[in-house]
Amino acid sequence: MTEKKNVRTAARRTTANARAAEAKAKDTADKAKDTAGEAGATVGSAATTATRAAQAAAGKAQVAADKAVATGRTVAAEAPKKAVAAAGTAWMVIKARKVATVAAGAGAAVAGATVVVLRRRAARRRRPLARLTGGRLGV
């Protein structure tokens, strides 16, 4: 009888222990489920934030690319205009070389004449009375 009692007691203990373990496992599973849900929400929030950041970066890259393309188009459009203007100026100079030569010669002649006149004027001698009066009297 004692053995039967011990077996029953052991069976009860085992059953109680199994129920307690089952309850603990259920609580642990519930906690893990809650933690997983929170982690999932956090991961979802992080993924949303990362997606937004990636979209913002892509938008900025698109704007920078658009600006670069616009600048390239402007430079490409202005380069031929500048080349044509430079070629036009060079052609005009070549075409008008005779006029430019005459103008340069006339300018040099005027400059030479001015130098001669100014030298003579500066070299002119004054008489003593003119020197005393600062050129007001006498020549």
Side-chain angles (χ1 to χ4, degrees), residues 55-82:
Q55 287 174 346
K60 288 181 182 178
Q62 180 66 33
V63 169
D66 290 344
K67 285 183 181 178
V69 168
T71 303
R73 285 181 184 159
T74 304
V75 169
E78 288 179 4
K81 291 178 186 175
K82 288 181 181 177

Side-chain angles (χ1 to χ4, degrees), residues 101-119:
T101 305
V102 170
V110 169
T114 304
V115 167
V116 169
V117 169
L118 290 177
R119 270 193 187 165

